[in-house]
Amino acid sequence: MSDVLPGLINRTQSAFVKGRDIVENILIYQDLVKLYNRKSCSPRVLMKIDLQKAYDSIVWSFIKDMLLALEFLSSFIDRVMKCVCTPSYSIAFNGEVFGFFKGRRGIRQGDLMSPLLFTICMDYLSRLLKVVESLPGFKYHSLYELGQVKCVYEWFFSPSVKEEIVSLTGMTLARLRFKYLGVPIAAKNLAVLDCDVLVERVVARGGVHYSKAPLVSQERVCSPKMQGGLGILNSEHRNITTLGKYIWWIASKKDHLGVKWVDSVYIKHHEWWSYQPSSTASWA
């Protein structure tokens, strides 16, 4: 299944698809919000879908319908659905395990096949969004018409407009600075405070104390174990390496979603090595 998904799944889906990198989606997302904090731009809407419990709510018949629609062999589909539909669960209470009961929906966390099935189900959403994209008058970012909802165009959002949007859509109003795929997203350059949540995780895991001098130098910690170190990767070197890989993808025009975005929006007919970003380019 993992071998055929790259040819079936929409390019916008990067997670769990072989040969694609989820970092590309993060960089594109960062680029999309680059002008959102400017007062001179038109009113804009950004929707972030929370899929936190999506694994538990997927209907089994929908998984089968998607596999059939993608023309997998019926014998293969039968085997997949047996894996999906046969789990039983028990409840641990006060140190005792009680009974077994069959599941009715959802896919199992930790199962190697579950991410692939989840990706297939989410591809249906991507296809629906492509249909909406082709509708006359559709514009990205703008307040667009859905059903009987009228397009709202104003140079500045007023509280009443925000309340109307929240009332019509049932969405929650939030600030632009938020996390996407675990990474802070902001219209301006990321500040140190935006990365505090990542630092706090490291502190919680390792018990780091900023007020005290480290007991062991970074050079020693990052040395190989055979040389008396801990063999921990140098984060600065790792960051440079990761950026270098992404730059090489862009320079060689790899067939990746993020590379295509950078090429069509910024570089165009120029070469990466001679390209100078404009003042309107996102910080990323």
Side-chain angles (χ1 to χ4, degrees):
M1 190 184 297
S2 60
D3 289 336
V4 300
L5 285 192
L8 299 174
I9 303 300
N10 191 285
R11 297 291 306 185
T12 56
Q13 296 273 358
S14 292
F16 311 124
V17 180
K18 185 185 294 185
R20 301 182 189 178
D21 196 321
I22 202 170
V23 174
E24 298 179 70
N25 290 62
I26 295 172
L27 292 175
I28 291 175
Y29 204 152
Q30 181 63 71
D31 198 55
L32 288 172
V33 303
K34 62 187 177 185
L35 302 177
Y36 265 57
N37 276 357
R38 295 190 181 183
K39 293 183 178 180
S40 59
C41 69
S42 59
R44 300 180 175 209
V45 167
L46 184 83
M47 288 181 290
K48 179 175 180 288
I49 310 301
D50 187 359
L51 299 173
Q52 185 175 359
K53 297 183 179 180
Y55 261 48
D56 300 329
S57 59
I58 291 178
V59 178
W60 291 344
S61 59
F62 179 66
I63 297 176
K64 185 175 183 178
D65 289 341
M66 284 299 300
L67 293 173
L68 288 169
L70 293 175
E71 299 183 352
F72 281 95
L73 293 175
S74 57
S75 57
F76 177 76
I77 296 175
D78 289 342
R79 291 181 181 180
V80 170
M81 294 312 298
K82 283 181 180 178
C83 294
V84 170
C85 301
T86 54
S88 296
Y89 302 92
S90 58
I91 298 177
F93 184 74
N94 284 343
E96 294 186 46
V97 177
F98 294 88
F100 284 91
F101 57 93
K102 287 186 61 63
R104 289 291 182 268
R105 61 171 56 194
I107 47 182
R108 287 174 286 184
Q109 296 279 358
D111 190 304
L112 296 179
M113 190 170 57
S114 293
L116 307 182
L117 295 176
F118 179 74
T119 300
I120 288 175
C121 292
M122 290 306 301
D123 190 56
Y124 186 71
L125 175 61
S126 297
R127 292 169 187 256
L128 290 179
L129 291 174
K130 292 291 288 184
V131 173
V132 174
E133 175 192 22
S134 65
L135 296 177
F138 177 83
K139 293 182 179 180
Y140 289 106
H141 306 285
S142 301
L143 304 178
Y144 55 87
E145 193 170 60
L146 283 176
Q148 300 299 318
V149 180
K150 185 179 180 180
C151 292
V152 180
Y153 290 103
E154 289 184 9
W155 285 107
F156 299 100
F157 276 144
S158 66
S160 60
V161 174
K162 293 181 181 179
E163 291 170 5
E164 183 179 356
I165 295 172
V166 171
S167 175
L168 289 171
T169 62
M171 297 178 184
T172 302
L173 190 64
R175 292 183 176 274
L176 180 60
R177 289 182 180 271
F178 56 87
K179 289 190 298 181
Y180 171 65
L181 300 176
V183 177
I185 297 292
K188 298 180 180 179
N189 288 12
L190 284 178
V192 174
L193 292 176
D194 295 317
C195 300
D196 276 355
V197 63
L198 302 178
V199 176
E200 287 172 2
R201 290 182 181 177
V202 176
V203 172
R205 187 182 305 172
V208 179
H209 301 283
Y210 293 107
S211 59
K212 298 180 180 179
L215 300 177
V216 184
S217 67
Q218 179 178 346
E219 183 180 357
R220 182 67 178 274
V221 169
C222 296
S223 298
K225 292 182 179 180
M226 294 181 64
Q227 298 178 11
L230 297 179
I232 296 176
L233 293 175
N234 184 301
S235 58
E236 184 178 0
H237 294 171
R238 182 69 178 269
N239 185 54
I240 293 173
T241 303
T242 304
L243 290 173
K245 180 182 72 171
Y246 193 63
I247 288 173
W248 177 249
W249 286 352
I250 296 173
S252 57
K253 300 189 184 298
K254 280 275 191 177
D255 187 22
H256 289 184
L257 180 67
V259 174
K260 289 180 180 294
W261 175 271
V262 172
D263 202 48
S264 61
V265 175
Y266 294 110
I267 300 180
K268 299 178 180 177
H269 58 278
H270 299 287
E271 291 294 325
W272 166 260
W273 308 113
S274 59
Y275 172 75
Q276 294 295 323
S278 66
S279 59
T280 59
S282 75
W283 70 267

